[in-house]
Amino acid sequence: YNSLLSEYGVLGYEFGYALANPDALVIWEAQFGDFANGAQTMIDQFISSHESKWGTQNGLVMLLPHGYEGQGPEHSNARPERFLQLAAEDNMVVANITTPANIFHALRRQLIWEFRKPLVVMSPKSIFRHPKVVSPIADFKKGRFQEVIGDEFADKAKVKRVLVCSGKVFYDLEERQEKDKRKDVAIIRLEQLHPFPAKQLDKELAKYKNAEVCFIQEEPENMGYWSYVVREAGFNKF
């Protein structure tokens, strides 16, 4: 009970600090993503709805470690479906980012925007140590935030199936793709879920006009991103 109250109170404090200091990058990072459970009322009543209800803007960042990584049932899931169910009318940004440069540009974007929106990032701990989770210096200096990242391994002329995913499951898929030398399977990453990057996704899918498109996630069908993505992308694509 005390733990639940503390998470609610700490998130509320950070929300208020970000409201009073709009030019500060205020980040609330949970040790595990499910710590947000105790702060759900704050998320429902303020973070997801404050702009509509109170006419104010807030750029608070929530980093929620999320992923099935052997930490037990209470430390595996930040419930991305909850945030996507609360997402509407560009009220907040929900992301699952896979490269260091992209997280840098996501945080930078929070401050260079002329407006403020809450940013919720599903941030698995394992990719901090993954040998392939690196970015060239040029991507930090000259790059920008990428809502969608396309495939650079597959052969466009041979692709028969496109796997769309979000988050660390990409690295599992990529490992198998490279091990089996599957040039006929392309993998597209959704780095931002809301606002949904429909144009960017359509641009990538247009490279594989005759391919079967599948959405891949770690979670069961009634959890995670599935129901949100198929609605936003259109049922004819999945």
Side-chain angles (χ1 to χ4, degrees):
Y1 178 76
N2 289 334
S3 176
L4 294 180
L5 286 179
S6 66
E7 298 304 330
Y8 176 88
V10 172
L11 183 59
Y13 173 86
E14 301 294 0
F15 177 85
Y17 191 92
L19 189 63
N21 299 272
D23 293 328
L25 180 61
V26 182
I27 300 176
W28 184 77
E29 182 177 13
Q31 181 179 2
F32 293 100
D34 67 297
F35 279 30
N37 291 343
Q40 193 65 49
T41 304
M42 181 63 63
I43 295 166
D44 292 345
Q45 297 295 325
F46 291 93
I47 293 174
S48 67
S49 58
H50 71 280
E51 189 170 352
S52 176
K53 291 169 65 175
W54 315 116
T56 59
Q57 296 186 351
N58 195 298
L60 175 68
V61 178
M62 297 178 62
L63 300 181
L64 304 179
H66 167 76
Y68 293 81
E69 299 177 335
Q71 296 293 331
E74 291 302 321
H75 293 324
S76 298
N77 198 339
R79 299 291 183 180
E81 65 274 8
R82 291 182 183 174
F83 293 93
L84 294 174
Q85 288 164 2
L86 292 169
E89 299 179 349
D90 301 342
N91 61 330
M92 58 183 171
V93 179
V94 181
N96 195 339
I97 302 172
T98 59
T99 73
N102 227 22
I103 186 65
F104 168 77
H105 288 295
L107 296 176
R108 179 175 179 269
R109 189 176 66 169
Q110 285 297 101
L111 294 182
I112 64 173
W113 267 339
E114 295 181 356
F115 52 87
R116 295 288 178 263
K117 297 285 182 180
L119 169 62
V120 182
V121 183
M122 303 294 134
S123 45
K125 294 183 176 183
S126 65
I127 65 173
F128 295 149
R129 305 180 297 274
H130 198 290
K132 285 202 169 186
V133 183
V134 295
S135 297
I137 294 297
D139 288 354
F140 291 89
K141 296 171 65 176
K142 298 181 180 180
R144 61 170 184 81
F145 180 72
Q146 295 177 274
E147 292 87 355
V148 175
I149 300 179
D151 191 295
E152 296 182 356
F153 180 83
D155 184 340
K156 288 189 290 186
K158 298 180 179 179
V159 169
K160 299 178 181 179
R161 176 176 293 175
V162 179
L163 306 180
V164 181
C165 65
S166 187
K168 78 180 185 71
V169 71
F170 162 75
Y171 291 102
D172 298 325
L173 297 173
E174 182 190 45
E175 180 181 359
R176 186 61 180 266
Q177 179 194 41
E178 294 179 352
K179 179 181 179 181
D180 294 347
K181 299 179 181 180
R182 294 297 299 269
K183 294 286 185 176
D184 61 335
V185 176
I187 307 172
I188 297 175
R189 283 172 275 177
L190 288 175
E191 299 282 288
Q192 177 174 297
L193 283 304
H194 185 83
F196 191 77
K199 292 182 179 179
Q200 295 92 323
L201 178 59
D202 287 343
K203 182 179 179 180
E204 289 298 325
L205 291 177
K207 299 176 182 178
Y208 318 103
K209 294 182 179 180
N210 298 318
E212 176 190 17
V213 180
C214 302
F215 184 77
I216 308 295
Q217 64 177 26
E218 292 180 283
E219 301 84 355
E221 186 175 330
N222 66 333
M223 297 165 61
Y225 319 96
W226 165 256
S227 60
Y228 171 83
V229 171
V230 295
R231 183 180 72 246
E232 294 293 325
F235 286 99
N236 61 319
K237 292 178 182 172
F238 295 97

